[in-house]
Amino acid sequence: MTGSLGPLDRPNTYIGRSVSRPNAKRLLAGRGRYVTDLQLPRMLHAAFVRSPYAHASIASIDISQAASAPGVHLVATGADLAKLCKPWVGTLDHFSGMKSPPQQPLAVGKVVWAGQPIVAVVADTRAQAEDAAELVVVDFEELETVADIDAARAQGSPLINPEIGGNVSFHLKVESGSIDEAFRAAPAIVESTYLFGRHTAVTLEPRAIIADYDPSEERLTVHHATQTPYQFQDIYSRHYGLREARVRVVAPDIGGSFGMKLHVYHEDMAVVGLSIMTGRPVKFVADRMESFVSDIHARDHRVSARMAIDADGTIRGMDVNDVTAIGAFSSYPRTSVVEGNQVIRLIGAPYRFRNYRADLDVVFQNKVQTSQYRAVGHPIACAVTETLVDHAARNLGLDPFEIRRRNIITQDMYPYTSPTGYKFERLSHEACLEKLYALMDYPRLRREQAALREKGIYRGIGIALFVEITNPSPAFYGVGGARISAQDGAIVKITPSGEVHCLISVGEHGQGTETIIGQIVADQLGVDCEAVRVFTGDTDVTPHGGANWACRGAGIGGETALQAARALKRNVLAVAAAILQARSETLDMRGGQVVDAESGNARIDLAEIARIAYFRSDTLPHDVSPQLTASHHFAPKGFPFAFTNGVQACHVEVDVETGFVEIKKFWVVEDCGRIINPMLVEEQVRGGVVQGLGAAFFEECLYSDNGQLQNGSLADYLVPMAGEMPDIEIAHVETPTRDTELGAKGCGEAGTAAASAAAMNAVNDAISPLGASISQIPMTPQRLLRALGHA
Amino acid sequence: MSSRIAVAVTVNGQAISAFVEPRTSLADFLRNDLGLTGTHLGCEMGVCGACLVLLDGKAVHACLMYAVQADGQTVQTVEGLSESRAIADIQQVFHERNALQCGFCTSGMLVTAHEFLSKCQDPSRAEIRDALSGNYCRCTGYEAIVDAIAETARGRADRAGIPSQAEQAAKSDAEETPS
Ligand code: FES
Ligand code: FES
């Protein structure tokens, strides 16, 4: 289903073309400038003393030896930084009743997770800072660790945050329709309890920050590997009492972020304070071990779910209970309850049943904080829904495609409001399902599967529909009181030689934002792509905006750029009209030339207009005042979110003797609305799928009962490698949103959203003839052997 | 703190003499002392491949070596390989195929690709995936990188006038596609 084409679909448009990323050439030549690479004059380095215990009170800290170690400039404790930094609390008003304790940069009085920073050492070199950190002596009194979600909620459990009076941060119940009735008379009920392991982002560039405070101007510059520089400008300013206009956050090249680099981290807040205390630039780069114990983790959910089904496969309703463990406090400024909230609101999203009930419990434990990471909540909601649908299909003898066809929300039902209140403008489940069926040659795979089973080879095919939240309006965070912008801004200007600069608040960290923004500006203005230079990621230069979270770069940033470029074009044509003594409606701009709109004949070069406007304005009529810079801000106004959808399929072979799974092939059909650059969309999807497959098969932060991370190094924590990953075939359906002129929605999280669900369905399809099933990820060989009854 | 030791090493064709602390890794020496920040650090334990450089023509992990161990040898980093145009065709195909996102793994990928393609002219996709077993990429999902290396190999074979095995195999596959 494609919306009206309009001016974006004319021939020669840049929109819809696979343009390569101009900025990638720099990275390919080793000329990237990551925060990790930066060295500033008089720069110092910070290292942290971290807690070896998951839960302990701090009896005393002795910094005397460290303070006199070679190269050391400052040793700061929690109490020192607390004098400068206002504490933060990770709650939001729209999560009513939510609780979380105030946070300080460094531990004060007690520690609540193993790895929590306690003391900061600032020295001339990093090695000196690390050496001196070893000389700090901290006396702990160990407390009982709360590591398990059931123990945490049991009567008499030790309290992680006694001031809150319990280990539960948040509870939410949603209910719609008549769930008890739906189950009472149901001919079939399927149910399962799922475990979704804790995992983490593992960006290849670890977190990195340089804070540079200049006391003479009371000015703070922070070079920060972050997705959200404007959010951090606000946070540093408010928590350190600095004037906002004197706080500058620069996000240069970033070595991966995936949602992990938009949260407040204790070390980052500390580094700002350390720079204020020393009056010099202070750098901190987490090493990989530190990343594992201090970057946010994600998931860690236990979901019990059941589904009531009619004999013909119609889903009647779902009843769900999600318990999630978030660490010792809720993250800031987005909270740690968003994932659970999205899990229970996205379950069942592709389907039209109306009876739904869900309970969510968000629990504290002595581990590092969890929070938003790529596809927040989606993989869990998707896996629970899609594995139950497959389970139902198996019980009823229906094909997985057929049961989905019978239950999806169809074209005649839009706009559609889900039982949990999500409003879908228009999705394309039928088209995606049918496209996938053909793309993967489903009947052939089934025939092959049957033939191989005779020979004792266990292949499985799994499909998973998904719905993804993109283009978030202020309904996401703003309404809860978070100072997180849902709008973005762009400034587009013509240089004196007739080239184009675009400054925009959405950022670049490899997904290709600068490229697609350049395509949109070139297209809408009527100039060559090569003439447009896009600049991102500096709060002193680029307009204020939300930047990159929840899939908004193309949808919101793109629309902002489109509107700014159109405004600039109007201005350019007005000047051209004055010069040519024509009416501006009769003119157009193409390929950097003002042309006669009807005939296409060239009238005047953009460079000539710029020359006259900037250097010979005296030759223009009195009432013409050229405005060759235009700006525009845009926030979504219609639907609160632009939902996207799609379907994924996974083909596996399970070695039932060893529990090893070979992922043979993967397919995705996705609908992210208007596609600006197909190659970049596909690469986002592929990268997303592989992160989802990582969660499905390999990635898990394993903890001991006393809260120690057992596999916190890249040698022990498994991430997907080239040899284990399949080729991923992708096809598109385009349903542009009508809320914007551009019609684009997000695509960065789509791959991750359903990959683990498709993988679980494929594995279960492979092992179901043996009467086995698995409902826990990662599906490690040991767990599969256990499921197969071998262990 | 131990005293500094002299090292003489040729880096990207330039003779360098320096005094380094014995505990300084080759990666830190290249990055901090010589400003060659194209060599990245992702794990500092020899697992991720972000720090790969050529030492006397062989790919090594710069995070696992001390700078003093490179004494008397030649080092090529991504900067040098770029300037000498030794990897220009690989870089161009990586660019066209978008075989990088954040770019943090890219220098290591290029070093691996360069070494691999100098030994294996006509690799299969499985061989390429295998060759990348010491290079982590968290962004791309690897497929574009595999495509780019395969494409570079094809381009080199074309220029040398050698028909590629993979092409022939693909052709015969297509001919006997099962119904
Ligand atoms: S940094 Fe050397 S292998 Fe990872
Ligand atoms: S491109 Fe980001 S790690 Fe490979």
Side-chain angles (χ1 to χ4, degrees), chain A residues 463-609:
Chain A
I463 62 173
L465 285 162
F466 66 89
V467 169
E468 189 207 334
I469 301 172
T470 81
N471 293 7
S473 74
F476 213 53
Y477 290 114
V479 295
R483 295 170 65 87
I484 296 170
S485 186
Q487 66 80 52
D488 276 288
I491 298 168
V492 189
K493 54 191 185 185
I494 309 286
T495 70
S497 302
E499 301 196 334
V500 182
H501 255 189
C502 174
L503 311 168
I504 192 155
S505 55
V506 288
E508 169 73 51
H509 23 100
Q511 71 280 66
T513 305
E514 291 180 0
T515 307
I516 62 159
I517 296 298
Q519 286 177 260
I520 293 166
V521 169
D523 188 84
Q524 294 297 300
L525 199 54
V527 299
D528 290 340
C529 248
E530 295 70 38
V532 182
R533 166 105 172 91
V534 180
F535 191 86
T536 60
D538 183 341
T539 61
D540 259 12
V541 180
T542 45
H544 187 89
N548 299 52
W549 50 274
C551 276
R552 51 196 307 292
I556 300 177
E559 180 71 6
T560 312
L562 176 143
Q563 297 293 352
R566 285 188 180 177
L568 181 59
K569 182 170 170 179
R570 283 193 293 275
N571 295 356
V572 169
L573 293 183
V575 184
I579 296 169
L580 298 169
Q581 303 197 334
R583 281 184 306 118
S584 65
E585 312 87 76
T586 67
L587 301 173
D588 194 8
M589 191 143 74
R590 294 172 200 163
Q593 300 230 311
V594 172
V595 300
D596 185 76
E598 203 141 296
S599 68
N601 291 339
R603 299 292 307 275
I604 186 171
D605 228 46
L606 178 58
E608 179 61 5
I609 297 171

